[in-house]
PDB file of all heavy atoms in Angstrom:
ATOM      1  N   PHE A   1     -14.031  -9.419   1.313  1.00  0.00           N
ATOM      2  CA  PHE A   1     -14.266 -10.663   0.577  1.00  0.00           C
ATOM      3  C   PHE A   1     -13.398 -10.738  -0.671  1.00  0.00           C
ATOM      4  O   PHE A   1     -12.878 -11.806  -1.021  1.00  0.00           O
ATOM      5  CB  PHE A   1     -15.748 -10.769   0.205  1.00  0.00           C
ATOM      6  CG  PHE A   1     -16.077 -11.966  -0.633  1.00  0.00           C
ATOM      7  CD1 PHE A   1     -16.158 -13.226  -0.078  1.00  0.00           C
ATOM      8  CD2 PHE A   1     -16.313 -11.827  -2.000  1.00  0.00           C
ATOM      9  CE1 PHE A   1     -16.464 -14.335  -0.849  1.00  0.00           C
ATOM     10  CE2 PHE A   1     -16.616 -12.916  -2.783  1.00  0.00           C
ATOM     11  CZ  PHE A   1     -16.700 -14.180  -2.207  1.00  0.00           C
ATOM     12  N   LEU A   2     -13.227  -9.603  -1.361  1.00  0.00           N
ATOM     13  CA  LEU A   2     -12.462  -9.604  -2.605  1.00  0.00           C
ATOM     14  C   LEU A   2     -10.976  -9.840  -2.382  1.00  0.00           C
ATOM     15  O   LEU A   2     -10.310 -10.453  -3.221  1.00  0.00           O
ATOM     16  CB  LEU A   2     -12.670  -8.275  -3.339  1.00  0.00           C
ATOM     17  CG  LEU A   2     -14.055  -8.041  -3.947  1.00  0.00           C
ATOM     18  CD1 LEU A   2     -14.181  -6.613  -4.464  1.00  0.00           C
ATOM     19  CD2 LEU A   2     -14.331  -9.031  -5.073  1.00  0.00           C
ATOM     20  N   ILE A   3     -10.424  -9.370  -1.277  1.00  0.00           N
ATOM     21  CA  ILE A   3      -8.976  -9.400  -1.082  1.00  0.00           C
ATOM     22  C   ILE A   3      -8.526 -10.445  -0.076  1.00  0.00           C
ATOM     23  O   ILE A   3      -7.365 -10.874  -0.096  1.00  0.00           O
ATOM     24  CB  ILE A   3      -8.481  -8.000  -0.649  1.00  0.00           C
ATOM     25  CG1 ILE A   3      -6.953  -7.886  -0.821  1.00  0.00           C
ATOM     26  CG2 ILE A   3      -8.875  -7.707   0.783  1.00  0.00           C
ATOM     27  CD1 ILE A   3      -6.507  -7.959  -2.245  1.00  0.00           C
ATOM     28  N   ALA A   4      -9.409 -10.909   0.814  1.00  0.00           N
ATOM     29  CA  ALA A   4      -8.983 -11.794   1.904  1.00  0.00           C
ATOM     30  C   ALA A   4      -8.681 -13.195   1.409  1.00  0.00           C
ATOM     31  O   ALA A   4      -9.295 -13.689   0.455  1.00  0.00           O
ATOM     32  CB  ALA A   4     -10.055 -11.850   2.996  1.00  0.00           C
ATOM     33  N   GLY A   5      -7.715 -13.840   2.068  1.00  0.00           N
ATOM     34  CA  GLY A   5      -7.409 -15.233   1.823  1.00  0.00           C
ATOM     35  C   GLY A   5      -7.943 -16.099   2.939  1.00  0.00           C
ATOM     36  O   GLY A   5      -8.691 -15.638   3.812  1.00  0.00           O
ATOM     37  N   SER A   6      -7.547 -17.346   2.954  1.00  0.00           N
ATOM     38  CA  SER A   6      -8.058 -18.270   3.967  1.00  0.00           C
ATOM     39  C   SER A   6      -7.599 -17.889   5.376  1.00  0.00           C
ATOM     40  O   SER A   6      -8.286 -18.194   6.350  1.00  0.00           O
ATOM     41  CB  SER A   6      -7.592 -19.694   3.647  1.00  0.00           C
ATOM     42  OG  SER A   6      -6.161 -19.745   3.584  1.00  0.00           O
ATOM     43  N   ASP A   7      -6.450 -17.209   5.498  1.00  0.00           N
ATOM     44  CA  ASP A   7      -5.922 -16.835   6.812  1.00  0.00           C
ATOM     45  C   ASP A   7      -6.157 -15.369   7.150  1.00  0.00           C
ATOM     46  O   ASP A   7      -5.657 -14.893   8.176  1.00  0.00           O
ATOM     47  CB  ASP A   7      -4.408 -17.125   6.871  1.00  0.00           C
ATOM     48  CG  ASP A   7      -4.098 -18.605   6.708  1.00  0.00           C
ATOM     49  OD1 ASP A   7      -4.927 -19.430   7.133  1.00  0.00           O
ATOM     50  OD2 ASP A   7      -3.028 -18.927   6.146  1.00  0.00           O
ATOM     51  N   SER A   8      -6.871 -14.646   6.303  1.00  0.00           N
ATOM     52  CA  SER A   8      -7.088 -13.217   6.547  1.00  0.00           C
ATOM     53  C   SER A   8      -8.559 -12.834   6.430  1.00  0.00           C
ATOM     54  O   SER A   8      -8.882 -11.695   6.097  1.00  0.00           O
ATOM     55  CB  SER A   8      -6.248 -12.376   5.572  1.00  0.00           C
ATOM     56  OG  SER A   8      -6.506 -12.744   4.229  1.00  0.00           O
ATOM     57  N   GLN A   9      -9.449 -13.776   6.702  1.00  0.00           N
ATOM     58  CA  GLN A   9     -10.881 -13.504   6.645  1.00  0.00           C
ATOM     59  C   GLN A   9     -11.356 -12.899   7.954  1.00  0.00           C
ATOM     60  O   GLN A   9     -10.988 -13.358   9.037  1.00  0.00           O
ATOM     61  CB  GLN A   9     -11.667 -14.788   6.372  1.00  0.00           C
ATOM     62  CG  GLN A   9     -11.464 -15.376   4.991  1.00  0.00           C
ATOM     63  CD  GLN A   9     -12.322 -16.601   4.751  1.00  0.00           C
ATOM     64  OE1 GLN A   9     -12.996 -17.081   5.657  1.00  0.00           O
ATOM     65  NE2 GLN A   9     -12.309 -17.106   3.540  1.00  0.00           N
ATOM     66  N   THR A  10     -12.195 -11.868   7.846  1.00  0.00           N
ATOM     67  CA  THR A  10     -12.832 -11.318   9.028  1.00  0.00           C
ATOM     68  C   THR A  10     -14.116 -12.101   9.325  1.00  0.00           C
ATOM     69  O   THR A  10     -14.505 -13.000   8.578  1.00  0.00           O
ATOM     70  CB  THR A  10     -13.155  -9.835   8.835  1.00  0.00           C
ATOM     71  OG1 THR A  10     -14.027  -9.687   7.702  1.00  0.00           O
ATOM     72  CG2 THR A  10     -11.887  -9.034   8.598  1.00  0.00           C
ATOM     73  N   LEU A  11     -14.767 -11.732  10.412  1.00  0.00           N
ATOM     74  CA  LEU A  11     -15.920 -12.514  10.871  1.00  0.00           C
ATOM     75  C   LEU A  11     -17.057 -12.507   9.867  1.00  0.00           C
ATOM     76  O   LEU A  11     -17.702 -13.540   9.640  1.00  0.00           O
ATOM     77  CB  LEU A  11     -16.397 -11.952  12.218  1.00  0.00           C
ATOM     78  CG  LEU A  11     -17.511 -12.723  12.927  1.00  0.00           C
ATOM     79  CD1 LEU A  11     -17.112 -14.173  13.161  1.00  0.00           C
ATOM     80  CD2 LEU A  11     -17.853 -12.053  14.256  1.00  0.00           C
ATOM     81  N   VAL A  12     -17.330 -11.375   9.228  1.00  0.00           N
ATOM     82  CA  VAL A  12     -18.449 -11.309   8.293  1.00  0.00           C
ATOM     83  C   VAL A  12     -18.185 -12.165   7.058  1.00  0.00           C
ATOM     84  O   VAL A  12     -19.095 -12.818   6.528  1.00  0.00           O
ATOM     85  CB  VAL A  12     -18.742  -9.839   7.915  1.00  0.00           C
ATOM     86  CG1 VAL A  12     -17.580  -9.213   7.171  1.00  0.00           C
ATOM     87  CG2 VAL A  12     -20.013  -9.743   7.092  1.00  0.00           C
ATOM     88  N   VAL A  13     -16.940 -12.223   6.582  1.00  0.00           N
ATOM     89  CA  VAL A  13     -16.609 -13.058   5.431  1.00  0.00           C
ATOM     90  C   VAL A  13     -16.668 -14.529   5.814  1.00  0.00           C
ATOM     91  O   VAL A  13     -17.145 -15.363   5.032  1.00  0.00           O
ATOM     92  CB  VAL A  13     -15.217 -12.691   4.885  1.00  0.00           C
ATOM     93  CG1 VAL A  13     -14.816 -13.613   3.746  1.00  0.00           C
ATOM     94  CG2 VAL A  13     -15.209 -11.243   4.402  1.00  0.00           C
ATOM     95  N   SER A  14     -16.218 -14.871   6.997  1.00  0.00           N
ATOM     96  CA  SER A  14     -16.298 -16.260   7.458  1.00  0.00           C
ATOM     97  C   SER A  14     -17.746 -16.700   7.615  1.00  0.00           C
ATOM     98  O   SER A  14     -18.090 -17.856   7.335  1.00  0.00           O
ATOM     99  CB  SER A  14     -15.557 -16.415   8.787  1.00  0.00           C
ATOM    100  OG  SER A  14     -14.186 -16.148   8.632  1.00  0.00           O
ATOM    101  N   LEU A  15     -18.600 -15.788   8.048  1.00  0.00           N
ATOM    102  CA  LEU A  15     -20.024 -16.108   8.163  1.00  0.00           C
ATOM    103  C   LEU A  15     -20.622 -16.401   6.798  1.00  0.00           C
ATOM    104  O   LEU A  15     -21.379 -17.366   6.632  1.00  0.00           O
ATOM    105  CB  LEU A  15     -20.756 -14.947   8.842  1.00  0.00           C
ATOM    106  CG  LEU A  15     -22.276 -15.072   8.974  1.00  0.00           C
ATOM    107  CD1 LEU A  15     -22.641 -16.306   9.783  1.00  0.00           C
ATOM    108  CD2 LEU A  15     -22.859 -13.825   9.612  1.00  0.00           C
ATOM    109  N   TYR A  16     -20.280 -15.595   5.804  1.00  0.00           N
ATOM    110  CA  TYR A  16     -20.764 -15.842   4.448  1.00  0.00           C
ATOM    111  C   TYR A  16     -20.245 -17.180   3.920  1.00  0.00           C
ATOM    112  O   TYR A  16     -20.998 -17.947   3.299  1.00  0.00           O
ATOM    113  CB  TYR A  16     -20.314 -14.703   3.524  1.00  0.00           C
ATOM    114  CG  TYR A  16     -20.607 -14.950   2.069  1.00  0.00           C
ATOM    115  CD1 TYR A  16     -21.886 -14.744   1.554  1.00  0.00           C
ATOM    116  CD2 TYR A  16     -19.608 -15.389   1.196  1.00  0.00           C
ATOM    117  CE1 TYR A  16     -22.162 -14.972   0.213  1.00  0.00           C
ATOM    118  CE2 TYR A  16     -19.873 -15.615  -0.137  1.00  0.00           C
ATOM    119  CZ  TYR A  16     -21.148 -15.411  -0.627  1.00  0.00           C
ATOM    120  OH  TYR A  16     -21.424 -15.647  -1.954  1.00  0.00           O
ATOM    121  N   ALA A  17     -18.984 -17.473   4.172  1.00  0.00           N
ATOM    122  CA  ALA A  17     -18.419 -18.750   3.726  1.00  0.00           C
ATOM    123  C   ALA A  17     -19.114 -19.924   4.391  1.00  0.00           C
ATOM    124  O   ALA A  17     -19.343 -20.968   3.764  1.00  0.00           O
ATOM    125  CB  ALA A  17     -16.919 -18.778   4.018  1.00  0.00           C
ATOM    126  N   ALA A  18     -19.468 -19.774   5.662  1.00  0.00           N
ATOM    127  CA  ALA A  18     -20.149 -20.853   6.372  1.00  0.00           C
ATOM    128  C   ALA A  18     -21.541 -21.096   5.805  1.00  0.00           C
ATOM    129  O   ALA A  18     -22.009 -22.239   5.731  1.00  0.00           O
ATOM    130  CB  ALA A  18     -20.239 -20.521   7.861  1.00  0.00           C
ATOM    131  N   VAL A  19     -22.219 -20.033   5.400  1.00  0.00           N
ATOM    132  CA  VAL A  19     -23.577 -20.172   4.872  1.00  0.00           C
ATOM    133  C   VAL A  19     -23.572 -20.790   3.477  1.00  0.00           C
ATOM    134  O   VAL A  19     -24.438 -21.613   3.140  1.00  0.00           O
ATOM    135  CB  VAL A  19     -24.275 -18.790   4.843  1.00  0.00           C
ATOM    136  CG1 VAL A  19     -25.625 -18.885   4.134  1.00  0.00           C
ATOM    137  CG2 VAL A  19     -24.467 -18.273   6.263  1.00  0.00           C
ATOM    138  N   THR A  20     -22.586 -20.414   2.656  1.00  0.00           N
ATOM    139  CA  THR A  20     -22.590 -20.841   1.254  1.00  0.00           C
ATOM    140  C   THR A  20     -21.736 -22.073   0.977  1.00  0.00           C
ATOM    141  O   THR A  20     -21.789 -22.597  -0.131  1.00  0.00           O
ATOM    142  CB  THR A  20     -22.088 -19.691   0.367  1.00  0.00           C
ATOM    143  OG1 THR A  20     -20.761 -19.323   0.774  1.00  0.00           O
ATOM    144  CG2 THR A  20     -23.009 -18.484   0.487  1.00  0.00           C
ATOM    145  N   ALA A  21     -20.948 -22.526   1.947  1.00  0.00           N
ATOM    146  CA  ALA A  21     -20.052 -23.657   1.695  1.00  0.00           C
ATOM    147  C   ALA A  21     -20.850 -24.938   1.493  1.00  0.00           C
ATOM    148  O   ALA A  21     -21.951 -25.119   2.053  1.00  0.00           O
ATOM    149  CB  ALA A  21     -19.075 -23.825   2.849  1.00  0.00           C
ATOM    150  N   SER A  22     -20.298 -25.817   0.667  1.00  0.00           N
ATOM    151  CA  SER A  22     -20.956 -27.112   0.435  1.00  0.00           C
ATOM    152  C   SER A  22     -20.770 -28.014   1.646  1.00  0.00           C
ATOM    153  O   SER A  22     -19.878 -27.819   2.467  1.00  0.00           O
ATOM    154  CB  SER A  22     -20.348 -27.776  -0.809  1.00  0.00           C
ATOM    155  OG  SER A  22     -18.953 -27.975  -0.618  1.00  0.00           O
ATOM    156  N   GLY A  23     -21.632 -29.016   1.744  1.00  0.00           N
ATOM    157  CA  GLY A  23     -21.567 -29.950   2.861  1.00  0.00           C
ATOM    158  C   GLY A  23     -22.763 -29.796   3.774  1.00  0.00           C
ATOM    159  O   GLY A  23     -23.568 -28.872   3.645  1.00  0.00           O
ATOM    160  N   VAL A  24     -22.879 -30.720   4.693  1.00  0.00           N
ATOM    161  CA  VAL A  24     -24.000 -30.730   5.633  1.00  0.00           C
ATOM    162  C   VAL A  24     -23.510 -30.192   6.966  1.00  0.00           C
ATOM    163  O   VAL A  24     -22.560 -30.699   7.548  1.00  0.00           O
ATOM    164  CB  VAL A  24     -24.555 -32.160   5.805  1.00  0.00           C
ATOM    165  CG1 VAL A  24     -25.693 -32.144   6.815  1.00  0.00           C
ATOM    166  CG2 VAL A  24     -25.024 -32.719   4.469  1.00  0.00           C
ATOM    167  N   ARG A  25     -24.171 -29.152   7.445  1.00  0.00           N
ATOM    168  CA  ARG A  25     -23.847 -28.600   8.755  1.00  0.00           C
ATOM    169  C   ARG A  25     -25.140 -28.137   9.400  1.00  0.00           C
ATOM    170  O   ARG A  25     -26.100 -27.755   8.713  1.00  0.00           O
ATOM    171  CB  ARG A  25     -22.844 -27.440   8.655  1.00  0.00           C
ATOM    172  CG  ARG A  25     -23.268 -26.350   7.720  1.00  0.00           C
ATOM    173  CD  ARG A  25     -22.316 -25.163   7.750  1.00  0.00           C
ATOM    174  NE  ARG A  25     -20.939 -25.545   7.708  1.00  0.00           N
ATOM    175  CZ  ARG A  25     -20.254 -25.740   6.591  1.00  0.00           C
ATOM    176  NH1 ARG A  25     -20.871 -25.605   5.421  1.00  0.00           N
ATOM    177  NH2 ARG A  25     -18.995 -26.056   6.618  1.00  0.00           N
ATOM    178  N   ALA A  26     -25.171 -28.172  10.696  1.00  0.00           N
ATOM    179  CA  ALA A  26     -26.384 -27.792  11.426  1.00  0.00           C
ATOM    180  C   ALA A  26     -26.656 -26.302  11.246  1.00  0.00           C
ATOM    181  O   ALA A  26     -25.753 -25.480  11.439  1.00  0.00           O
ATOM    182  CB  ALA A  26     -26.224 -28.126  12.901  1.00  0.00           C
ATOM    183  N   PRO A  27     -27.881 -25.945  10.864  1.00  0.00           N
ATOM    184  CA  PRO A  27     -28.182 -24.509  10.724  1.00  0.00           C
ATOM    185  C   PRO A  27     -28.059 -23.768  12.045  1.00  0.00           C
ATOM    186  O   PRO A  27     -27.818 -22.559  12.057  1.00  0.00           O
ATOM    187  CB  PRO A  27     -29.623 -24.496  10.199  1.00  0.00           C
ATOM    188  CG  PRO A  27     -30.192 -25.829  10.562  1.00  0.00           C
ATOM    189  CD  PRO A  27     -29.044 -26.786  10.533  1.00  0.00           C
ATOM    190  N   GLN A  28     -28.218 -24.490  13.174  1.00  0.00           N
ATOM    191  CA  GLN A  28     -28.073 -23.827  14.471  1.00  0.00           C
ATOM    192  C   GLN A  28     -26.653 -23.307  14.680  1.00  0.00           C
ATOM    193  O   GLN A  28     -26.448 -22.264  15.300  1.00  0.00           O
ATOM    194  CB  GLN A  28     -28.444 -24.787  15.611  1.00  0.00           C
ATOM    195  CG  GLN A  28     -29.916 -25.151  15.665  1.00  0.00           C
ATOM    196  CD  GLN A  28     -30.197 -26.440  14.898  1.00  0.00           C
ATOM    197  OE1 GLN A  28     -29.506 -26.744  13.931  1.00  0.00           O
ATOM    198  NE2 GLN A  28     -31.206 -27.180  15.331  1.00  0.00           N
ATOM    199  N   SER A  29     -25.642 -24.033  14.147  1.00  0.00           N
ATOM    200  CA  SER A  29     -24.260 -23.575  14.283  1.00  0.00           C
ATOM    201  C   SER A  29     -24.044 -22.285  13.498  1.00  0.00           C
ATOM    202  O   SER A  29     -23.374 -21.361  13.968  1.00  0.00           O
ATOM    203  CB  SER A  29     -23.292 -24.652  13.790  1.00  0.00           C
ATOM    204  OG  SER A  29     -23.343 -25.796  14.607  1.00  0.00           O
ATOM    205  N   VAL A  30     -24.608 -22.225  12.289  1.00  0.00           N
ATOM    206  CA  VAL A  30     -24.489 -21.015  11.486  1.00  0.00           C
ATOM    207  C   VAL A  30     -25.196 -19.848  12.167  1.00  0.00           C
ATOM    208  O   VAL A  30     -24.688 -18.711  12.206  1.00  0.00           O
ATOM    209  CB  VAL A  30     -25.052 -21.248  10.077  1.00  0.00           C
ATOM    210  CG1 VAL A  30     -24.981 -19.972   9.252  1.00  0.00           C
ATOM    211  CG2 VAL A  30     -24.289 -22.367   9.378  1.00  0.00           C
TER     212      VAL A  30
END
């Protein structure tokens, strides 16, 4: 999380970004 950029995120960091990102998204997708 500390070193990754938008094109170098692993699955766990992308999952965290999906949970905390602003906007409306279906919780089922997360």
